[in-house]
Amino acid sequence: MKIEMEKLIAHLKAQGFIFQGSEIYGGLANSWDYGPLGAEIKAKLKKLWWGFFVKKNPHNLGLDSSIILNSKVWEASGHLRNFNDPLIDCKECKSRWRADKLIEEKFPELNVGGWTNQQLEEFITAKKILCPKCQKQSFTNIRQFALMFKTNQGVVEDEGSVVYLRPETAQGIFAQYKNCQRAMRKKLPFGIGQIGKSFRNEITPGNFIFRTREFEQMELEFFFAPSDNFDWFEYWLNQVQTFLKDVLKIHPNNFLVREHNKEELAHYAKRTVDIEFKYPFGTGELWGIAHRGDFDLSQHQKFSAQDLTYLDPNTNERYLPYVIEPSVGVERLMLAIFCQAYTEEAVENGERVVMKLPNNLVPYQVAVFPLQKQQNAAAEQLYEELLVDFDAVLDVTGNIGKRYRRQDAIGTPLCVTIDFDTETEKTVTVRDRDTMKQVKVALSELKNYLTTKL
Ligand code: ATP
């Protein structure tokens, strides 16, 4: 089903998933806050990633490094020199655009990642690409726009106090690679995973939470010996797809795997593959998997003058490990999950909106209702009992039909109703979100029943 972004955004706001940032002050462009239900899903998503890529993977460790690092890190990584986007201004209406994205929007089959500014400018002129705002073709030359947020640390604002908000979490991992390896006495191959905020002063943020200036990343840097014959790239590419399909239940028809061609590859990358999701506004990068060789560690070794080599206990050789990096944005992944889950269905008396979220991501696993006011106390007691083992919610307002709709709209898989039979028969009615079927379940069996269903 093709969904409309406007409808999805309105739904997520009304139900308490995502609000516009600073809304009472008229908002702050392209900033979004996660409401009670969105925050719950975000926390669950991060926990699932951490479980799969860090805790349950026999090779990997976790890390939580700082957002503000020594600026030398960004000098070494190349971000200070190269982390720019091609900015182009419309002379007529003064709007600003990313030149590469202007082209890719008109020619989605093209990938202009490796093009020079001159190539981009010539293409825009030759193909008569217009300003999306005023429909004129009157552009300035392209300039490089630095994407890192710059600020000062401490009381003196001079060149020496300049620091940056990290544009990726990866460099914090490289900077602590040696400490992690030594402290944990790790042998290659091993990986370090990290989840945290990143900041990019994007020229054209947009498409809701797809591209924002403040976002969270979940990144893994996997280190291995250059002589290792095992294909770690394929391994991580498969792991990412397994996580998407089996853990998050993303349907394989909803994403595609795109190999970067030679022109597009960053100069240090040996291979890059993007997993792209089919968002309602077009196909876009969800997860990048890159073979970074020993680029980052060798740069940090050079700039820090520290020995970052690994002494191989088997061969007694010293070398810098190679790195595979699977990197994903939390919000982009959430957007993919929301787009897949949002469903409008015709039902007997009208239409319902159902968030068909997987059970491991729902804000609430089970809702408890009293059928009528007389059953309020029993419902409250059952709710408190269920809270011990489940993410439960109690709803006592409105008629039962409305309560079902409310739970459908937020994705609650099961609703338990205390009804007339509960007192005499010791049973409750359990209703399934997707099939809308209802079954009677003995109170004594309820916890088991819910556990098998969830
Ligand atoms: P794009 O081409 O879309 O700008 P990128 O190639 O610069 O993305 P990476 O640097 O590879 O992205 O970042 C890794 C992941 O972080 C991306 O796959 C994406 O999921 C996420 N990400 C990057 N930039 C943003 C952003 N501005 N807002 C939200 N998520 C982002």
Side-chain angles (χ1 to χ4, degrees):
M1 184 187 72
K2 184 107 177 133
I3 61 164
E4 287 169 37
M5 281 306 287
E6 292 305 314
K7 272 192 173 175
L8 175 67
I9 296 169
H11 181 79
L12 293 174
K13 179 183 176 183
Q15 300 297 331
F17 288 97
I18 301 182
F19 306 129
Q20 191 189 3
S22 316
E23 192 182 291
I24 60 165
Y25 291 101
L28 172 69
N30 299 292
S31 76
W32 302 95
D33 290 343
Y34 292 79
L37 303 190
E40 199 62 49
I41 296 191
K42 226 180 184 194
K44 286 190 177 179
L45 181 57
K46 289 192 273 183
K47 197 165 173 208
L48 288 172
W49 182 92
W50 191 263
F52 188 92
F53 288 94
V54 177
K55 275 175 78 164
K56 302 278 188 224
N57 186 289
H59 306 291
N60 294 349
L61 310 165
L63 179 74
D64 185 2
S65 73
S66 305
I67 286 174
I68 296 174
L69 304 173
N70 187 316
S71 296
K72 282 245 160 107
V73 169
W74 307 115
E75 218 180 306
S77 67
H79 281 84
L80 275 178
R81 223 171 333 109
N82 301 324
F83 198 54
N84 307 308
D85 274 340
L87 172 72
I88 197 165
D89 287 323
C90 171
K91 289 193 227 159
E92 288 291 327
C93 71
K94 310 284 179 237
S95 57
R96 305 196 125 174
W97 306 97
R98 246 178 89 170
D100 53 340
K101 297 289 167 197
L102 276 187
I103 295 176
E104 283 176 3
E105 248 152 54
K106 287 270 171 246
F107 299 88
E109 71 286 359
L110 282 182
N111 228 300
V112 301
W115 290 18
T116 62
N117 285 352
Q118 197 184 339
Q119 283 173 308
L120 294 170
E121 278 170 8
E122 283 172 5
F123 192 89
I124 287 173
T125 312
K127 297 290 175 189
K128 300 197 170 43
I129 293 178
L130 305 177
C131 165
K133 195 166 165 205
C134 69
Q135 305 301 320
K136 301 252 163 61
Q137 205 206 34
S138 171
F139 290 115
T140 59
N141 288 342
I142 292 173
R143 281 161 297 136
Q144 288 308 111
F145 178 77
L147 292 178
M148 279 204 289
F149 278 94
K150 199 174 179 180
T151 184
N152 293 83
Q153 177 162 274
V155 286
V156 189
E157 275 193 28
D158 62 11
E159 269 306 296
S161 68
V162 170
V163 287
Y164 300 87
L165 303 187
R166 67 179 175 201
E168 60 175 37
T169 63
Q171 296 305 322
I173 298 179
F174 293 124
Q176 290 296 356
Y177 149 78
K178 193 83 196 190
N179 274 336
C180 290
Q181 189 264 324
R182 267 204 211 116
M184 306 306 286
R185 296 177 302 282
K186 270 293 200 187
K187 294 206 175 84
L188 291 180
F190 74 93
I192 304 175
Q194 164 154 247
I195 301 177
K197 289 267 184 182
S198 292
F199 301 82
R200 296 182 187 180
N201 201 4
E202 300 274 4
I203 298 171
T204 45
N207 284 328
F208 190 34
I209 55 171
F210 178 81
R211 188 183 303 286
T212 49
R213 294 189 170 114
E214 171 180 347
F215 57 99
E216 271 186 281
Q217 288 185 308
M218 304 192 282
E219 297 197 291
L220 175 74
E221 305 303 321
F222 188 79
F223 303 92
F224 60 100
S227 59
D228 191 337
N229 284 326
F230 187 79
D231 193 342
W232 288 109
F233 194 98
E234 271 316 300
Y235 173 84
W236 286 110
L237 183 56
N238 282 329
Q239 289 290 98
V240 165
Q241 291 176 76
T242 302
F243 181 73
L244 286 173
K245 287 189 285 202
D246 296 353
V247 181
L248 303 183
K249 312 286 184 219
I250 301 278
H251 198 283
N253 287 346
N254 289 339
F255 66 85
L256 40 97
V257 177
R258 190 179 69 79
E259 180 97 34
H260 281 214
N261 59 36
K262 282 233 159 61
E263 285 181 354
E264 225 186 312
L265 279 182
H267 62 96
Y268 50 79
K270 295 194 187 305
R271 188 182 170 193
T272 299
V273 169
D274 285 345
I275 309 269
E276 299 185 334
F277 187 81
K278 296 174 192 167
Y279 293 101
F281 44 81
T283 299
E285 176 178 334
L286 168 64
W287 207 315
I289 298 107
H291 188 318
R292 302 180 65 95
D294 64 7
F295 173 76
D296 303 274
L297 288 180
S298 72
Q299 286 294 102
H300 287 301
Q301 175 161 275
K302 194 159 118 200
F303 280 76
S304 67
Q306 302 281 317
D307 179 6
L308 298 182
T309 54
Y310 172 80
L311 176 62
D312 194 316
N314 301 323
T315 62
N316 244 0
E317 270 179 285
R318 278 198 169 278
Y319 53 79
L320 287 172
Y322 276 1
V323 172
I324 307 290
E325 173 192 83
S327 168
V328 64
V330 177
E331 293 84 356
R332 270 192 202 183
L333 194 47
M334 271 182 91
L335 183 57
I337 291 161
F338 283 139
C339 289
Q340 185 180 280
Y342 181 87
T343 315
E344 291 169 1
E345 275 179 3
V347 284
E348 248 174 51
N349 41 5
E351 193 186 64
R352 68 169 187 156
V353 174
V354 199
M355 285 303 255
K356 293 194 173 172
L357 293 163
N359 289 348
N360 53 8
L361 281 175
V362 286
Y364 302 116
Q365 298 169 297
V366 54
V368 183
F369 308 154
L371 187 61
Q372 292 194 326
K373 271 208 177 96
Q374 299 91 288
Q375 288 114 12
N376 275 10
E380 259 172 54
Q381 192 191 335
L382 179 64
Y383 159 68
E384 276 175 26
E385 280 170 26
L386 292 182
L387 265 186
V388 176
D389 299 300
F390 302 96
D391 294 335
V393 62
L394 176 71
D395 191 353
V396 297
T397 53
N399 68 41
I400 200 87
K402 280 211 178 108
R403 287 184 235 163
Y404 281 147
R405 292 289 167 273
R406 260 202 304 265
Q407 297 306 321
D408 290 343
I410 64 172
T412 311
L414 297 169
C415 295
V416 175
T417 304
I418 304 267
D419 53 29
F420 298 118
D421 296 334
T422 306
E423 206 178 335
T424 49
E425 313 271 319
K426 303 281 176 242
T427 58
V428 286
T429 303
V430 182
R431 183 257 198 189
D432 180 280
R433 176 192 73 196
D434 296 343
T435 63
M436 294 189 280
K437 291 231 166 71
Q438 302 184 7
V439 288
K440 288 267 178 198
V441 177
L443 263 176
S444 58
E445 270 306 303
L446 184 62
K447 280 198 176 179
N448 279 343
Y449 181 85
L450 296 177
T451 307
T452 55
K453 287 277 168 186
L454 291 167

